Each structure stands twice: as C-alpha cells, then as structure tokens.
Amino acid sequence: QVQLVESGGGLVQPGGSLRLSCAASGSIFNVNAMGWYRQAPGKQREWVARITRGGITNYADSVKGRFTISRDNAKNTVYLQMNSLKPEDTAVYYCNADINRYYGDGYLNYWGQGTQVTVSS
C-alpha cells in the first residue's frame, strides 16, 4: 500500500550538482521523519541526512556543507540537493520514511527502491 519512489539520479562530473526527490504515496495518515541513505558496491548502507516533519535537519559529516535536505509535507515528498559532488558520493541513494497509516498507531519504516548517483569524470 505505502510506496516511496525516488527520482533524479544520474551521472554527473565531480563538482557538479543533482537534486533527488522521493514521494510517498498510498494509505498514509501522517509522514513523520524522512531521510536519505546511500550504499556503494561492497560497502554497508550509510545514513546521509534526516529531516523531521517540522523541518529539523541532520547530516552526516561527509556531506555537511554540500547537501541540503528539505521536504514538502503537502506532497509527502522529501528532496536532497547535492552540490560539490565527489567521486566518493557515488552510490545508490535510498529514501526512507517513518509513516503512520492510521491515526493512533505507531509508525512503520519504509524504504524506496533506490536511485543511482554516479560521480565520475
């Protein structure tokens, strides 16, 4: 029922920029915190950024000053603006969200299918 769909990935040169989007759809009462993770081949999935429903943000040290997370609650969508991209940013980027499907229930955590970001010259 609940689905997260990422978009905006692609190939970019070092120093370039990309903007990722992730929209939640389906049976949703409320979307709480949302975030982005990434996973490079042969490496563990790592946390990148998080944003609460009220707009409080947190970033991994590796992306601070370069990435900006934002959201549009009316659209149940989270964004990740990525600037000054480096080859080490190359990974599959996954959207993550805590979602209440019904009033009074606790949240469940959902993942998107991922979108490939490749930074290479």
Side-chain angles (χ1 to χ4, degrees):
Q1 279 290 324
V2 175
Q3 187 175 19
L4 301 179
V5 180
E6 302 98 333
S7 62
L11 197 160
V12 65
Q13 292 187 340
S17 298
L18 283 174
R19 191 190 193 212
L20 306 182
S21 300
C22 172
S25 62
S27 181
I28 297 172
F29 175 77
N30 184 62
V31 180
N32 294 323
M34 305 184 79
W36 290 94
Y37 291 72
R38 65 187 183 186
Q39 187 168 25
K43 297 181 66 178
Q44 293 241 285
R45 187 171 299 186
E46 64 177 349
W47 170 73
V48 174
R50 176 183 182 269
I51 184 168
T52 69
R53 182 172 179 83
I56 300 172
T57 61
N58 296 95
Y59 299 92
D61 288 341
S62 59
V63 306
K64 283 182 180 177
R66 300 189 298 121
F67 291 10
T68 302
I69 189 170
S70 61
R71 66 189 291 165
D72 184 337
N73 290 337
K75 297 180 178 180
N76 288 332
T77 299
V78 64
Y79 307 93
L80 186 68
Q81 178 66 48
M82 304 184 294
N83 299 325
S84 301
L85 283 162
K86 306 174 181 179
E88 47 263 49
D89 295 319
T90 296
V92 176
Y93 283 70
Y94 296 92
C95 176
N96 181 267
D98 296 328
I99 297 175
N100 301 117
R101 297 175 63 226
Y102 306 99
Y103 176 78
D105 284 355
Y107 67 83
L108 292 177
N109 190 254
Y110 296 86
W111 291 93
Q113 294 287 77
T115 184
Q116 177 71 49
V117 172
T118 302
V119 184
S120 177
S121 59

